[in-house]
Amino acid sequence: MRNKNVKKLIGILLIVAFSSVIIGYKIYNKPHVNVAENSADIAQTANRLFIDFSTDETKANTTYLDKIIAVKGVVANIAEEGEKRIVTLQTSDDFGSVICYLTKEDSENNAQIKEGQTLVLKGICTGFLMDVILVKCVVTNLK
Amino acid sequence: MCLFLVAFTNAQERFLTKNGMISFFSKSPIENIKAKNNQVLSIVDLSKGQMAIAILMKSFMFEKALMQEHFNENYVESDKYPKATFKGNLLDFDKITGSETVIAIKGNLTIHGVTKEMTIEALTKKTAAHIEMTGDFFINLADFDVKIPSIVKNNISEKIKVSFRFHHKPYKK
């Protein structure tokens, strides 16, 4: 009788230990946010986004940081950095813009984009230096 | 950031990059942690021999999402301190030539709201079209008041190796 209980207890303990290892492993390896598969938290024009950051950066940080932003704007410049493309969206300000760093896949998929084109891009906002920065961007208004 | 702009206007020999790279590496017996930031803003003003760098903490990309989360939320508290900055003077900046030369930059590095004076060496090369600077240095987490909980003490090194690569281009409007 006693033996049976001990065996049962060991069994339960093993299951608990085993599942915590799996859960721990899953948490440790949890994937990055997939921008393409998630809908945007905020939709905004490039101009408005820049104005929000240049007028009150602290407030804009609480609104936009870490969020998926869908930004609409006209392409002012396209640059390549390694395998990734960097799309600069113009604003009404001479100095400032919204700089979107495309993912590797989306850089390949959107080789045809050019200056002057109106784009909607979705990406994660990491903050404001001279420009508003969005990373892991995907183009959403083409294809 | 506007302060930077004001401080650097009217300079003839201004070079800038918005895609500077900074990465860091933590080596420990349990795991190696690496993160890379490709959105670093760096400005070099050769007429004054000054350099200014601004870094968004949330732009550091890690291999694992959990590491990135811990870095931002627990260690550097990037909601509270979204940027790291470095402002310094290039010592012997007249020695910068077309071939790679080691130049020392003495300045103030601010991370996690804590400022520390540092001298960093950079392999520097200048042509008419660009100034390239590369190098690495070590920082102590304790110097910047970054606290690592004892439970993960063995996962994170106290000394972090920081590498940088800036490809500055002449600044024009």
Side-chain angles (χ1 to χ4, degrees), chain B:
Chain B
M1 195 42 49
C2 289
L3 285 175
F4 279 17
L5 277 177
V6 173
F8 281 98
T9 43
N10 300 323
Q12 288 285 311
E13 294 198 76
R14 234 178 329 154
F15 287 75
L16 166 147
T17 179
K18 292 174 177 179
N19 316 318
M21 190 281 293
I22 287 186
S23 64
F24 65 78
F25 187 68
S26 152
K27 194 179 161 67
S28 80
I30 294 182
E31 59 184 350
N32 292 333
I33 299 169
K34 206 184 160 178
K36 198 171 168 186
N37 183 335
N38 280 310
Q39 287 89 37
V40 179
L41 173 67
S42 172
I43 304 169
V44 174
D45 185 340
L46 278 189
S47 62
K48 298 197 191 90
Q50 290 175 335
M51 185 171 191
I53 299 168
I55 305 150
L56 291 172
M57 300 314 275
K58 283 190 193 285
S59 268
F60 279 103
M61 297 294 144
F62 290 70
E63 184 201 336
K64 295 198 184 297
L66 192 69
M67 290 175 180
Q68 196 163 319
E69 207 176 287
H70 287 170
F71 170 78
N72 282 304
E73 287 173 12
N74 306 340
Y75 305 147
V76 296
E77 301 175 89
S78 55
D79 280 324
K80 226 158 122 192
Y81 310 104
K83 283 174 197 169
T85 57
F86 177 78
K87 274 184 173 187
N89 293 306
L90 303 164
L91 310 175
D92 307 322
F93 65 98
D94 46 328
K95 281 188 191 153
I96 299 175
T97 61
S99 55
E100 288 185 324
T101 317
V102 176
I103 298 290
I105 308 136
K106 190 178 177 187
N108 288 317
L109 178 63
T110 307
I111 304 171
H112 193 228
V114 180
T115 303
K116 191 180 183 321
E117 195 182 84
M118 285 190 88
T119 302
I120 293 162
E121 289 190 335
L123 206 56
T124 309
K125 184 181 163 183
K126 178 186 180 289
T127 66
H130 58 87
I131 297 179
E132 258 189 70
M133 293 176 111
T134 56
D136 46 56
F137 58 95
F138 283 88
I139 57 168
N140 281 318
L141 289 180
D143 288 345
F144 297 96
D145 204 18
V146 175
K147 294 187 182 74
I148 305 299
S150 54
I151 192 162
V152 290
K153 265 267 164 11
N154 291 328
N155 300 46
I156 299 166
S157 168
E158 256 298 301
K159 258 183 177 308
I160 305 285
K161 185 182 180 183
V162 181
S163 308
F164 59 91
R165 189 179 66 231
F166 302 129
H167 191 92
H168 304 89
K169 288 180 181 153
Y171 183 56
K172 47 188 185 295
K173 270 187 211 173

Side-chain angles (χ1 to χ4, degrees), chain A residues 109-123:
Chain A
N109 294 343
N110 292 288
Q112 80 286 6
I113 51 173
K114 48 184 181 290
E115 285 175 25
Q117 199 170 0
T118 301
L119 287 185
V120 180
L121 299 113
K122 205 163 63 169

